[in-house]
Amino acid sequence: MFRRPPGWPAVLVDGPIVLRPYRRSDATAWSEIRRANQGWLSPWESHLPGSWDEVNSPVAFRFVHADLRRSARTGEGMPFAVCLREEGRERLVGHVNVGSIVRRAFCSGYVGYWVDSRVAGRGVIPTAVALAVDHAFGPGGLHRIEVNIRPENTPSRRVVEKLGFREEAYHVRYMHIDGAWRDHIGYAMTSEEVAAEGGLLARWHRVRDS
Ligand SMILES: CC(C)(COP(=O)(O)OP(=O)(O)OC[C@H]1O[C@@H](n2cnc3c(N)ncnc32)[C@H](O)[C@@H]1OP(=O)(O)O)[C@@H](O)C(=O)NCCC(=O)NCCS
């Protein structure tokens, strides 16, 4: 019998920010954002062979979507579309995935994210990551979340620093991005640390509103 993986599917909401599973109908919006943000996203992401426009076309989204759905179905990922509700309508603005989930004695996963540059600096991704981590540690049953970031990526490092992730590793030539093997700083957080804060979203609200 088919059993749903812990914590999936889910819709998570904090104010105007909504995290939900991707839909096939996201193809046009996803492709428009990804194509408009090539210079913003490409220094920080690995991507498939092919031009940026090809791998971010509405047709390519079908494959991306199928891959994300498969990972969610097998319990290896929790891939959320990040949406913003404004002026009575909800639009796709970014992405947060809890990926590479390993259970048994690890119960760990890696978080990856991006946001449309047109809404950057508004705290969308810290809110989205806080929602996803609380969910992963709660209904998702995970114990540890890691984030790996290129040292040069100051905005992304600010996201994890504001959320209170611990810097705990330096991975030399860790991932092939933008044409070369790139070093990454490893950040992590465990469910005990988050529980001590009353949840990551609660912590983020305190930091944001202070
Ligand atoms: C990293 C990223 C997801 C942050 O998302 P966000 O929703 O803008 O996050 P925040 O609003 O908390 O802003 C984070 C930092 O970005 C910087 N920032 C703020 N406004 C900005 C803008 N308009 N443009 C660029 N950077 C900006 C600031 O340093 C800010 O830190 P601060 O709050 O201490 O001032 C986003 O910059 C992004 O998508 N970058 C490209 C892809 C990427 O790096 N993904 C992560 C790979 S590890």
Side-chain angles (χ1 to χ4, degrees):
M1 194 178 78
F2 175 73
R3 283 180 48 203
R4 288 180 174 189
W8 195 261
V11 175
L12 312 174
V13 181
D14 183 55
I17 295 163
V18 181
L19 271 61
R20 59 157 174 81
Y22 280 92
R23 302 171 185 145
R24 229 177 302 173
S25 57
D26 289 325
T28 307
W30 179 88
S31 175
E32 187 282 324
I33 296 170
R34 301 272 317 168
R35 284 175 163 178
N37 280 275
Q38 176 173 2
W40 173 253
L41 299 174
S42 61
W44 315 118
E45 294 186 355
S46 61
H47 75 83
L48 298 168
S51 73
W52 185 263
D53 275 2
E54 275 165 6
V55 300
N56 291 290
S57 68
V59 171
F61 178 77
R62 280 195 227 150
F63 299 97
V64 171
H65 185 220
D67 201 43
L68 294 174
R69 273 169 60 107
R70 182 204 49 75
S71 75
R73 207 171 40 241
T74 58
E76 291 161 68
M78 296 184 204
F80 290 104
V82 177
C83 303
L84 204 51
R85 269 185 202 152
E86 282 179 325
E87 293 158 9
R89 92 189 176 96
E90 190 177 299
R91 64 192 168 104
L92 181 72
V93 295
H95 167 85
V96 166
N97 185 31
V98 184
S100 302
I101 293 175
V102 179
R103 294 199 176 265
R104 297 171 73 97
F106 283 103
C107 290
S108 71
Y110 292 81
V111 168
Y113 45 76
W114 55 262
V115 78
D116 188 338
S117 59
R118 294 166 287 195
V119 298
R122 292 171 52 179
V124 172
I125 291 300
T127 306
V129 171
L131 281 165
V133 169
D134 280 346
H135 184 73
F137 284 160
L142 297 187
H143 171 252
R144 181 181 170 84
I145 294 291
E146 300 187 22
V147 185
N148 289 302
I149 302 175
R150 287 184 61 186
E152 305 87 343
N153 194 343
T154 308
S156 185
R157 291 178 65 183
R158 284 296 300 142
V159 169
V160 293
E161 283 160 10
K162 289 188 287 186
L163 291 173
F165 277 80
R166 189 170 6 87
E167 183 179 326
E168 62 174 30
Y170 192 89
H171 306 293
V172 175
R173 296 169 63 76
Y174 182 71
M175 201 186 291
H176 202 268
I177 293 179
D178 204 21
W181 291 101
R182 309 289 185 178
D183 295 357
H184 280 66
I185 300 174
Y187 294 85
M189 183 174 269
T190 66
S191 57
E192 293 88 354
E193 290 165 317
V194 167
E197 298 274 2
L200 194 53
L201 189 65
R203 180 201 148 92
W204 165 236
H205 283 174
R206 285 196 300 275
V207 169
R208 188 189 61 184
D209 302 337
S210 64

